[in-house]
Amino acid sequence: EVQLVESGGGLVKPGGSLRLSCTASGFTLGSYSMNWVRQAPGKGLEWVSSISSSGGYIYYADSVRGRFTISRDNAANSLYLQMNNLRAEDTAVYYCARDEGPRITGTPLYWGQGTLVTVSS
Amino acid sequence: DIQMTQSPSSLSASIGDRVTITCRASQSISFYLNWYQQKPGKAPRLLINAASNLQSGVPSRFSGSGSGTDFTLTISSLQPEDYATYYCQQSYSTPHTFGRGTNLEIK
């Protein structure tokens, strides 16, 4: 069974940093591209970033480019999102989601349950 | 960036009703359109990809159609478990933008 478990969320002050992790099980992480998608409280879904299976292709939303860094450790079955210079508008549930295959297709098929990031003083 | 416009933003319907949700892209995205269902407090669930390809395990009362800029999600006979929020998303190019969602409520 495919499972994705996010961790690392919490309360952080504006300007602070946080590193999210996503631990994958039930499949070989290195065979799939991965995504982060977020959802602000009571709002819709926002695509944040994608990374190809080998890490060779990476894309970011304009709203996070230059502040967030997506990375992966296939040997450790883990996906990461390093978030720096956090703003109040980054407050959201962050979902880790697996794509259909090794290429980035923008079609997250399997999703974790999400981890809440709250940016507030 | 490609903008995705969903309508309606909310919809009240009764059990057994036929429901249609539309999604319009700001430019042609061919058939690169996904539909998701999300229930409160839960992660989204992919229902349909490539505009009309029903995911495994999704009931056949769900269907998708369209290409280019105009797409529809249809539920042929609404069931109690279908009350949720539905999102379209384009996978044609990054950023992979989502529509604002359609909240489907019980009438």
Side-chain angles (χ1 to χ4, degrees), chain A residues 5 33 49 53 70 75 77 81 84 95 97 113:
Chain A
V5 179
S33 63
S49 182
S53 59
I70 191 172
N77 290 319
L81 186 67
N84 297 331
Y95 293 102
Q113 284 308 298

Side-chain angles (χ1 to χ4, degrees), chain B residues 54 58-63 74-82:
Chain B
L54 199 67
V58 176
S60 58
R61 62 181 179 273
F62 289 91
S63 64
T74 300
I75 309 173
S76 60
S77 178
L78 203 59
Q79 298 302 302
E81 60 268 30
D82 300 337

Side-chain angles (χ1 to χ4, degrees), chain A:
Chain A
E1 180 191 4
V2 172
Q3 284 199 322
L4 298 165
V5 179
E6 302 93 339
S7 60
L11 175 63
V12 60
K13 290 181 168 54
S17 298
L18 215 52
R19 188 195 198 202
L20 305 184
S21 298
C22 172
T23 301
S25 61
F27 67 100
T28 302
L29 183 68
S31 297
Y32 295 90
S33 63
M34 297 294 294
N35 308 272
W36 288 99
V37 177
R38 68 183 181 183
Q39 186 169 36
K43 303 297 184 182
L45 300 168
E46 180 187 14
W47 171 82
V48 173
S49 182
S50 298
I51 183 169
S52 61
S53 59
S54 64
Y57 294 90
I58 288 175
Y59 302 98
Y60 295 102
D62 287 347
S63 57
V64 306
R65 186 177 293 111
R67 301 187 298 122
F68 290 12
T69 302
I70 191 172
S71 63
R72 62 192 297 158
D73 183 342
N74 291 336
N77 290 319
S78 294
L79 174 74
Y80 306 102
L81 186 67
Q82 177 67 42
M83 304 185 295
N84 297 331
N85 191 20
L86 283 160
R87 307 166 179 166
E89 54 264 36
D90 295 319
T91 294
V93 173
Y94 285 73
Y95 293 102
C96 158
R98 197 199 87 177
D99 219 304
E100 299 176 298
R103 290 191 312 112
I104 294 171
T105 66
T107 304
L109 177 57
Y110 292 97
W111 296 63
Q113 284 308 298
T115 187
L116 176 63
V117 172
T118 303
V119 184
S120 174
S121 55

Side-chain angles (χ1 to χ4, degrees), chain A residues 39 100 105-109 112, chain B residues 34 36 38 43 49 55 87 89 91:
Chain A
Q39 186 169 36
E100 299 176 298
T105 66
T107 304
L109 177 57
Chain B
N34 305 319
Y36 296 87
Q38 188 180 33
N49 75 311
Q55 290 297 297
Y87 295 93
Q89 181 217 16
S91 57

Side-chain angles (χ1 to χ4, degrees), chain B residues 4-25:
Chain B
M4 306 301 294
T5 303
Q6 259 183 266
S7 61
S9 57
S10 64
L11 174 61
S12 294
S14 301
I15 301 299
D17 283 354
R18 180 182 181 89
V19 169
T20 298
I21 298 169
T22 65
C23 184
R24 174 166 288 178

